[in-house]
Amino acid sequence: MAFTTMVGARIRRREDPRLITGRATYVDDVRQVGTVYAAFVRSPYGHAKITSIDTAQAKSDPHVLAVYTGEDLHHAHNLKASLPVAHKMPDLKTPPHYVLALDEARVVGEAVAIVVADSPYTARDAAEKVVVEYEQLPAVVDIEKAAAGPPYVHESLGTNVAFTMPFSAGDPDKAFAEADVTIKQRIVNQRVAPVPIEPRSMVASYDAGMQQLTLYSATQIPHLLRTQLAIVLGLPENKIRVIAPEVGGGFGAKLNVYAEEVVVSWVAMQLERPVKYIETRSECFQAMIHGRDQIDDLEVAAKNDGTITALRLKITANMGAYHQLLTPVIPTLTMLMAHGCYKFENIAAEVVGVFTNTMSTDAYRGAGRPEATFFIERAIDMVAQRLKLDPVEVRRKNFIASDAFPHTTATGLTYDSGDYETTMDKALAIIDYAGLRKQQEELRKQGRYLGIGISTYVEVCGMGPSAAMPAAGWDSATIRVEPTGSITVLTGVSPHGQGQETTFAQIVADELGVPIDHVSVIHGDTDKVQYGVGTFGSRGTAVGGAALKLAIDTIQAKAVKIAAHQWEANPDDVEYRNGKMQVKGDPSKSMTTAEAGFLAFMGDKLPPGLEPGLDATRRFEPPNFVFPFGTHICVVEVDAQSGEVKFVKYLAVDDCGRLINPMIAEGQIHGGIAQGLSQALFEEVVYDGNGQLLTGTLMDYAIPHAEQVPHYELDHTVTPTTVNPLGIKGIGEAGTIGSTPAVANAVIDALAPFGVVHIDMPLKPEKLWAAMQAVPSNGSVR
Amino acid sequence: MIPAAFDYVRANSVEDALRLLTEHGEDAKLLAGGHSLIPMMKLRLAAPAMLIDIAGIPQLDGITASGGGVTIGALTKHAALAASADLRKHAPALWDAANDLGDPQVRNRGTIGGASAHGDPSADYPAVLQALDATFTLAGKGGTRELRAAEFFLGMFETALGANEMLTRIAFDAAPNSAYVKFHHPASHYAVVGAAVALTLSGGKIASARVAITGIGDAAFRAGGVESALQGVNPNDAAAVKAACAGAARGVQARADTFASASYRSAMADVFAARAVAKAASAR
Ligand SMILES: Cc1cc2nc3c(=O)[nH]c(=O)nc-3n(C[C@H](O)[C@H](O)[C@H](O)COP(=O)(O)OP(=O)(O)OC[C@H]3O[C@@H](n4cnc5c(N)ncnc54)[C@H](O)[C@@H]3O)c2cc1C
C-alpha cells in the first residue's frame, strides 16, 4: 500500500462547511416549479376495518388537486403490488402490504389516503376533511400473547407467527447436565425509535415527454430503491432516477422502501406535477420503522471457574404489523452473533418472528447485533455475580484466544481476526480498573452506589458476502481522471454522515498523488453513479472503499503503461512511488497521474492497443464480513434517594483496523455511544393495549440532550483484517453495539448490594429506586 | 406540525391588547413568546383564529430587584431572568428556575407571563412563584386586580385569568434564602417534580418556610404540612430536614406518564423538597 500523508490524518470533513452554513441541499430544499404537496390520512386505530371513506368534501376544496384511497389505487388504477421484503427464508409468511390500506388498517399511522393540494397547509387542512369510518377490531400488541393465538393481525394467515427458525450446535443438553451452575434470565430488548433529525422526505416529478420519473428521497439506498420502485410501479428501471441529496440521518431507518415513496411517485405520474411530502415528527414516530423489540429468553450453563459451556436461547422478535424491507432478517442476525467474542460451542436457539398491531421493526443502528451483545454481556456479568468472580476474569476465561484466528463460530461465521484480551487490558489499564473497584468499595460504605460496567463486544459488519445477504452485498466505484487533472470519484455507497467525501478523497489523494482538493466524491444519484448497493451495515468503507481501491489499482496499471510508453521503458519497470510514476530506482524522470490522464485524453501518445481515457469502474465482492471489536467501560453513580443515574466516566477502546481518518472514526463512535446509552437509560416506544402510541412526540420520547451524555474517552487498538484490500473494518455501528451493555452493566453493578441481578431497559430512575428499597447488603447505609 | 389557518395582529399597548381581545372574543389568543402556544397549534391541539401579538408592548419587559422586593414585567424573557445578577441575589429560586428551563431558544423567546398564564402542570414557575408568594397584576377592561400566586394557579392549564384579561406584572418580597430544584423529564425536560423553597433563618434554624411543588398534581401546590414541620429545624441536619419533608405531596392526586408513576412522583416530592431546603439554606 502506498498510503503516505493523507490516510491516517485528522482531515476536517469536507462535507461540513456546507452543512453548518446552511448551504446543503436536503430534500425539502429541492424547489421545482409547479410543486404540489401531499398529506396522508392515517389510521388513528391499531386495528380497524375501514367501512367507508368519503373524499367528497376534501375534493371539493379548491386548493385540492387529488385525493386517492387504497380502494382507488387497487381497483380503479390497478396498483396492486405489495411492498418488498428481502429475505431468503423458505417458510416466511408474507401477507400483502399495500401502499395504502385496503379494507383494513393494522397499525396506528398506517396510510389510508393521500391528499394533494397547492401548499403543505392546505393539504393538511384537506386531509382533515376526508371522512373515514372505521369499525375497531381487537388489537394485539404483546408479542407473547400474539404468538399464542388470536386476535390475528392478518386474519387470513390464521396465526401471528411469521416464521420460526431453530438452530443447534454441539451438545447443549449434555453441557447443561454437566454444568456447575445454570442461570436463566428473560431479557427484554425494548422497542426504540430511530428519530433522525430529518424525517422521511421526498419529492417526485414526472417528465411525461421523456416518460421519466425522478424521485428525490432521503434514502440510504438510491439504487435499491430505484429497483424496487420499478417492480412495484411496473416501470422500466431505466426510466426512473432516484436522488438521495443531503440526508439528515438514517440509522437504518432510511434503508427501506416506504409506502409513501411509492404513492408520491405514482401521484406525480398521475398529475404530471412535482409532488412533495415531508413527514411531520409525529408521523415519523408512527410510520418510520422502529428498532429492536425482542424478548430474549436465555439460559446459560457454566463451570465454577466461570467457563461458559452452553447457551439456550429463544428470541421472540416483534415484526410489527407488516414486513418492511429487512424486518424478518434482523433477529436472525441476533442469533448469528449469539456467542459474541467467546468460544461457546454448544448452542440451542430458536428465533420466532411475531406480527403485532405496531409499526414494523427493521434495521436500526446495529440491527440485530446489539440485541445479541446485550444479552451475552449481561449473561457474563450474571455468571460472575453468581460465582462471585470478577466479570473481567469471566470474560478472560471465555474469550476466543488471540492465537485462535481465523475462528469459525458455532453459528457458522468465520472471524478472520481478533485480539479481545489486548483491547480489554488496554482499557482496564487506562481506566485503572483496580482503583475503581476500591473506590466502589469505599463509597458503598458511605451509602453511595458506584457501578462499573464492562462490555467486550464483537460485531459482524462490512455487509457483506452476497451469498450471505438477502440481496447483493458487493459495491462499486468509478474513478475518472479528467483531462485537466482533477479526479472524479463515483461511489455506489450513499453516505449520509459517514464522511466518505473526505475519507475516499484521502485515499485517492495518497494513491494517485493529487491534492485532496482535486478529488470530488459523488454519490446518491442513480443517473450519475453506476449501480451501488448503498450505505448500511457499516459497509461504506469496508465494501465501497474496497471497490475504490480496486479502481485505483486499475487506474495505476493503465497510467503506468502510458508513462512507460513515453519513456520507452518496459511497463514492468515503472512504478508508483509517493504518488508519482518513475522508472524503478531512477527518480530523475517522473510523471503524475494527471499528466498520464491528459495523455490518455489527447489519445495520440498512447501505446498501440491501449484505449484512450483514464477511468475505471470496479466492484468489490467481499469474501467475508469484517468483525470489529472493542471494550467499553462505563462508570455511573446511582442516587439511592431518587434512582437518578449520573455518569462518572466512559471509556471506549475500539478496534476497527486501520484508521483512514481518526477524527471521523471518533465521530462515528461518539454518535454510536450516544444512541446506545440512550437505549440503556432513556428510550422506549410504548403502545397501549389497543395499539395506541403513547410516545408519539419528543415531549414523551426521550433522546438525550448534550448534557445527558458523558464525556467520551476514546482509544483504540489496530488489528488489521485481510478481508478487504484496505485492511479496515466498519465503525458506524460499533459504538451503539458496545455501549448499551456497558451502561446497563454499570447501573446493575451499582445496585448489586441490593441483590439486583437484572433490570430491563430503559433503566429509568423509578425502576432503580424501587430496587433500592431493599435493605442493602454489606452493612452499607442508604 | 402544520397549524390550522389563523390571523395575526400586533398590539401596541396593554389597552390595545385588551381592546383586541374583546373585539375578537373567544377565537382570539394573546401571543407572547409563542413557546407554549405555537407547539399546541402545530399539533392542532389549539386552533385560535386570531393571534394578538403582545411581544412588542414596551412597558412590560424588565426586572427591578432589590432587598426591598422584586417586580417583573410579564413580557420579561426567561433569558433575562437567567442573566440577572440582582435576581440571583434577591430571589435565587426564580433565577434557578429560569436557568434550568428549556433550552437557549426557549429561554430567548419565552416569557414569565406566558409561562404563568399557560398553567402547565409541569412548568417550573408556578412552584417558584408560590414559594415566593408572588402577587400577580391582571389588567382587564375595568382596570387592574391583584391576586396571590396561590389564587392564580387553579388547575391543569387553568388560571384565574379571565377571558379578556391580561397578566402584566409579577411582584414579590426579596427571598435571599430561596432555591428551586428540579427532576427533569428526560424527554421534555419539564419538571417530573420541581420543588421551590423560600426560608427565613434565625440562629441557624428555620424560622419560617414556604414550600411549593410542581409536576405532580394538576397544578403546583403549597406543601403546608412540610412548611410547618420545617419550623425550628436546622437546615444542615439532613435527617431532620428529610423527616420534615416527608409527605410533601400528601393529599395530592398525583399524575402518571410513561416515565414516572404517581407513587414515585409523590415519593420524589419529599426528596426534592429536602434538596431544595438544603440549597436554600446554603449561602450562594
Ligand atoms: C422545547 C421547550 C421546552 C420547554 N421547557 C420548559 C421547562 O423546562 N419548564 C417550563 O416551565 N417551561 C418550559 N417550556 C415552556 C416555556 O416556558 C414557554 O416559554 C412558556 O410556557 C410560555 O411562554 P410564552 O411567552 O412563550 O407564551 P405563549 O406561548 O406565547 O403563550 C402561552 C399562553 O399564555 C397566554 N399568554 C401569554 N402571555 C400572556 C399574558 N401576558 N397575559 C395573559 N395571557 C398570556 C397565551 O395566550 C397562551 O395561551 C418549554 C417550551 C419549549 C418549546
Side-chain angles (χ1 to χ4, degrees), chain A residues 120-121 124-125 128 280-282 639 641-642 644 698-702 705 707-708 764-766 769, chain B residues 1-4 43-44 183 185-190 242 258-261 264 267-268 271-272 275:
Chain A
Y121 297 90
R124 184 46 43 213
D125 289 342
E128 290 189 350
T280 64
R281 180 59 63 193
S282 309
D639 185 318
Q641 306 296 325
S642 63
E644 290 165 291
L698 286 169
M699 292 290 279
D700 317 292
Y701 188 85
H705 296 205
E707 89 242 14
Q708 287 165 291
K764 295 194 281 193
E766 179 167 2
W769 172 80
Chain B
M1 295 296 115
I2 298 181
L43 291 167
R44 298 201 172 202
F183 187 160
H185 189 286
S188 70
H189 288 222
Y190 277 72
K242 186 177 170 187
T258 54
F259 177 70
S261 71
Y264 176 63
M268 288 307 106
V271 172
F272 281 75
R275 286 187 192 174

Side-chain angles (χ1 to χ4, degrees), chain B residues 29-30 32-37 78 102 110-111 115 123-124 167 182 189-190:
Chain B
K29 274 255 168 216
L30 297 179
H35 271 61
S36 291
L37 183 53
H78 307 310
T111 66
D124 301 309
L167 175 61
K182 172 177 180 180
H189 288 222
Y190 277 72

Side-chain angles (χ1 to χ4, degrees), chain A residues 28 31 35-39 115-121 123 274-277:
Chain A
D28 201 16
R31 302 282 150 94
T35 299
V36 292
Y37 298 84
V115 176
V116 185
D118 57 11
S119 83
Y121 297 90
V275 180
K276 189 180 262 191
Y277 172 63

Side-chain angles (χ1 to χ4, degrees), chain A residues 565-623:
Chain A
H565 182 66
Q566 282 293 300
W567 298 330
E568 293 175 4
N570 182 338
D572 292 343
D573 294 336
V574 176
E575 64 174 3
Y576 263 87
R577 191 166 269 265
N578 300 325
K580 282 186 184 147
M581 288 168 282
Q582 64 176 52
V583 175
K584 282 178 190 161
D586 173 13
S588 65
K589 270 190 300 205
S590 70
M591 185 183 287
T592 63
T593 307
E595 286 161 353
F598 185 72
L599 293 173
F601 162 70
M602 294 302 284
D604 58 347
K605 299 231 169 62
L606 299 178
L610 200 65
E611 284 177 11
L614 186 53
D615 55 31
T617 298
R618 295 289 303 271
R619 293 174 182 80
F620 178 69
E621 166 63 38

Side-chain angles (χ1 to χ4, degrees), chain A residues 43 45-50 101 103-107 110 112 134 322:
Chain A
S43 171
Y45 298 113
H47 197 185
K49 197 167 255 337
I50 299 167
D103 305 332
E104 202 169 311
R106 296 181 174 86
V107 55
E110 182 166 358
V112 167
Y134 296 95
Y322 301 97

Side-chain angles (χ1 to χ4, degrees), chain B residues 29-39 54 74 78 100-103 106 109-111 113-115 117-118 122-125 161 165-167 182 188-190:
Chain B
K29 274 255 168 216
L30 297 179
L31 177 71
H35 271 61
S36 291
L37 183 53
I38 291 178
I54 57 173
H78 307 310
D100 209 2
L101 180 158
D103 50 41
V106 175
R109 290 290 306 175
T111 66
H118 196 54
S122 301
D124 301 309
Y125 295 156
L161 271 165
E165 270 184 323
M166 178 174 159
L167 175 61
K182 172 177 180 180
S188 70
H189 288 222
Y190 277 72

